[in-house]
Amino acid sequence: MSVQGLNDAIARMRADGMSDVAITAFTHNYHQWESDRSGFIAEENVKPLKQLPSIAEVMTTISAEDAHEALAHTAFLKLNGGLGTSMGLSKAKSLLPVRLHKGRPMRFLDIILGQVVATRSAQGVDLPLVFMNSYRTSKDTLQVIRRNRHFKQTDIPVEILQHREPKILAETGEPVSWPENPDLEWCPPGHGDVYATLSDSGILDTLEKAGIRYLFISNSDNLGARPSSSVAGYFAQTGAPFMVEVARKTQADVKGGQFVFDKTTGTIRLREMSQVPKADLAKATDIKRHPFFNTNNIWVRIDALKAKLAEYNGILPLPVIRNTKTVDPTNPDSPQVVQLETAMGAAIGLFEGSVCLEVNRPRFLPVKTTNDLFIMRSDRFHLTDTFEMEDGNYDFPKIHLDPRYYKLIQDFDERFPYGVPSIAAANSVTIEGDWTFGASVKFFGDAHLADPQNDPDPVTRRDRAYVRDASHVGPRGIEKGDW
């Protein structure tokens, strides 16, 4: 790598008005990337975490008074910088409608605001809410917040603005140039940037002055990460400076990041799947060997975080993660770039006495793809008046929608004009090819629709259809009497 490449990137950041903290963080990540291109964490160097306290076990040790006291001193921080480009979105992902509530389309953002307002009312707490927006999500997000007549917050800012950094050419280490769309020359530094952003913004001092001791951080696309007095109470009771909520893996979670015990440092650390050598993937994805995954629901004591930031001059030295993409995500022929990112949960290794807590599955309901959105919009869920995404057992069917026709949200919505079919009785759903669905369609068992590419009318619309396993009801998995 050339020194000139880093210098050019720094010059671009200064011209863009990036702070010294942002530039220092980028410089740290760039040097780390230069010195260790692999970034791998080998299985032989770690030990799996298998026995952890669960919220179900510890709830009986927390009094209602202590739980309420902890929540009364907690602030809620939502990471809201993502655009959902993998689903074809160009605005904040949190503005995507999730489902109807009393006839009204509810977006992620509406549900988050509803959860906070409902908790404030029920618990009698202030519960400040802050969004970490990016330069692309700030305007639209603030517009929605201002229009919500139920949500009020005056003394504490509702936004801190995430940093941004240049995308780096994979071959040369120089900042990429893309005149066709200069915005695509920039990227966020990953959610690990939350700590530098908190340091830069000065909001930690503001929160402390308001009597806030604890910060609960989660992703805006995880509607299960609701305010919880029980979890807040347990965190306060432990006296730990840092806590991560983890959940027990199913086969659907094998790609999720995991916390492991580092044999070299003697600390807990986060290992993302991108940091696992290929030779170790089988062991790393074995859910018996590594039974827990990272929900990215983080609790941190503000005084401990301020002390740690002061120790490292405002920049936590987190492991860098290489995210290799093309400069234009929609154009596979555009130049290959590296986005230098860090993960929020990786900070666990910096705080002595950090802990993990096993939580129930309802606290992890993310939407990363249209497959996830399909479940969220289905009859598996009910959105309660307190804005809880409620399901019977949270053991969801495996969904596979043909990415050629359902990956992008516009294509997805066009093919489900009456809403997604019923999956209450489905074990799995596989849709191959281009199908458009009518009203009141129901999926049963291992529902499977084969690609109708040789059908004279491949784009099919029918109401009240029953879709099951093709082996039981015909070559295309359709109940013949109803389709």
Side-chain angles (χ1 to χ4, degrees):
M1 293 298 103
S2 68
V3 173
Q4 189 60 45
L6 175 58
N7 290 340
D8 288 348
I10 290 174
R12 188 174 293 186
M13 293 180 76
R14 290 200 188 284
D16 192 61
M18 288 290 100
S19 68
D20 289 342
V21 169
I23 291 170
T24 303
F26 173 79
T27 302
H28 171 270
N29 293 341
Y30 192 98
H31 285 315
Q32 191 180 161
W33 172 59
E34 276 189 307
S35 62
D36 181 11
R37 289 304 194 85
S38 72
F40 290 141
I41 302 173
E43 185 73 15
E44 65 181 0
N45 296 326
V46 303
K47 181 179 177 182
L49 297 182
K50 294 193 174 183
Q51 298 295 326
L52 294 174
S54 72
I55 188 61
E57 296 167 347
V58 302
M59 278 183 65
T60 57
T61 70
I62 307 163
S63 70
E65 293 80 7
D66 289 345
H68 178 271
E69 172 74 6
L71 190 63
H73 294 283
T74 296
F76 204 30
L77 176 59
K78 280 289 185 179
L79 307 186
N80 191 53
L83 292 179
T85 52
S86 62
M87 290 193 284
L89 296 169
S90 58
K91 291 188 176 182
K93 185 178 178 183
S94 58
L95 299 183
L96 181 67
V98 180
R99 60 185 305 111
L100 292 175
H101 181 64
K102 297 181 178 178
R104 177 187 166 199
M106 300 295 290
R107 300 160 291 194
F108 288 95
L109 195 51
D110 298 317
I111 296 173
I112 291 166
L113 293 172
Q115 289 176 347
V116 169
V117 170
T119 302
R120 287 175 175 178
S121 176
Q123 299 278 351
V125 296
D126 290 335
L127 192 62
L129 172 63
V130 181
F131 290 89
M132 185 173 82
N133 291 322
S134 68
Y135 63 100
R136 290 185 177 179
T137 64
S138 174
K139 182 179 177 181
D140 293 331
T141 297
L142 293 179
Q143 240 177 16
V144 171
I145 294 172
R146 282 193 292 265
R147 290 174 181 170
N148 188 302
R149 59 191 178 90
H150 301 291
F151 178 83
K152 306 294 180 188
Q153 187 166 298
T154 55
D155 295 337
I156 294 172
V158 295
E159 175 189 67
I160 56 176
L161 202 59
Q162 184 179 20
H163 299 131
R164 67 177 189 168
E165 65 186 21
K167 296 177 182 177
I168 301 301
L169 285 168
E171 289 188 4
T172 66
E174 298 172 350
V176 70
S177 178
W178 196 244
E180 296 175 29
N181 186 350
D183 271 353
L184 294 179
E185 298 172 0
W186 297 87
C187 64
H191 44 66
D193 181 58
V194 65
Y195 306 113
T197 299
L198 285 166
S199 174
D200 227 1
S201 68
I203 198 170
L204 294 176
D205 291 333
T206 303
L207 291 171
E208 273 196 323
K209 288 176 183 176
I212 301 301
R213 303 173 193 161
Y214 315 113
L215 198 57
F216 174 44
I217 314 172
S218 60
N219 294 327
S220 63
D221 65 0
N222 177 12
L223 294 176
R226 296 163 45 83
S228 168
S229 59
S230 298
V231 180
Y234 176 72
F235 180 52
Q237 184 184 78
T238 64
F242 193 95
M243 183 176 81
V244 182
E245 298 180 28
V246 299
R248 196 165 287 274
K249 285 184 180 180
T250 67
Q251 287 299 333
D253 308 307
V254 294
K255 293 183 179 179
Q258 56 195 213
F259 289 96
V260 293
F261 182 80
D262 190 313
K263 295 178 181 178
T264 303
T265 64
T267 61
I268 298 174
R269 69 181 300 183
L270 173 65
R271 179 171 69 168
E272 301 284 4
M273 284 302 108
S274 61
Q275 295 173 300
V276 177
K278 286 185 179 180
D280 292 338
L281 277 175
K283 289 181 178 179
T285 56
D286 182 345
I287 64 175
K288 291 183 178 179
R289 181 179 179 86
H290 293 280
F292 302 107
F293 71 92
N294 175 26
T295 67
N296 225 32
N297 297 345
I298 306 288
W299 294 77
V300 61
R301 290 178 182 261
I302 289 178
D303 58 354
L305 177 56
K306 287 180 66 176
K308 193 60 65 174
L309 286 167
E311 179 182 345
Y312 290 106
N313 297 316
I315 308 297
L316 297 190
L318 304 177
V320 70
I321 298 171
R322 302 170 304 157
N323 194 348
T324 304
K325 296 186 175 184
T326 54
V327 62
D328 182 349
T330 66
N331 180 3
D333 296 323
S334 59
Q336 190 176 68
V337 296
V338 173
Q339 298 181 188
L340 302 181
E341 302 178 1
T342 56
M344 176 171 65
I348 193 170
L350 299 176
F351 291 87
E352 186 177 352
S354 296
V355 296
C356 294
L357 174 69
E358 180 187 352
V359 295
N360 300 327
R361 192 66 185 209
R363 290 192 62 77
F364 184 71
L365 302 173
V367 175
K368 302 298 183 186
T369 66
T370 50
N371 290 344
D372 301 327
L373 186 64
F374 182 92
I375 296 175
M376 288 289 180
R377 289 185 176 178
S378 77
D379 57 355
R380 285 300 303 264
F381 277 104
H382 166 65
L383 184 59
T384 71
D385 288 343
T386 56
F387 299 92
E388 179 180 0
M389 294 289 288
E390 192 175 71
D391 177 64
N393 60 12
Y394 300 93
D395 184 12
F396 306 119
K398 186 175 182 180
I399 307 296
H400 174 74
L401 309 179
D402 194 322
R404 294 175 297 171
Y405 307 105
Y406 301 93
K407 178 180 180 180
L408 303 182
I409 191 64
Q410 183 177 347
D411 296 336
F412 178 92
D413 286 340
E414 284 178 359
R415 286 162 176 78
F416 299 109
Y418 302 96
V420 302
S422 167
I423 59 171
N427 297 321
S428 66
V429 172
T430 302
I431 301 176
E432 298 171 340
D434 189 359
W435 294 85
T436 297
F437 293 82
S440 303
V441 176
K442 295 183 178 180
F443 288 174
F444 292 87
D446 293 310
H448 181 198
L449 287 174
D451 191 340
Q453 58 183 339
N454 297 321
D455 195 293
D457 182 21
V459 180
T460 309
R461 297 175 175 86
R462 293 290 188 274
D463 296 342
R464 297 178 299 281
Y466 293 83
V467 183
R468 301 184 179 177
D469 186 336
S471 64
H472 294 152
V473 293
R476 282 168 36 177
I478 305 160
E479 191 76 34
K480 295 178 182 178
D482 292 281
W483 189 269

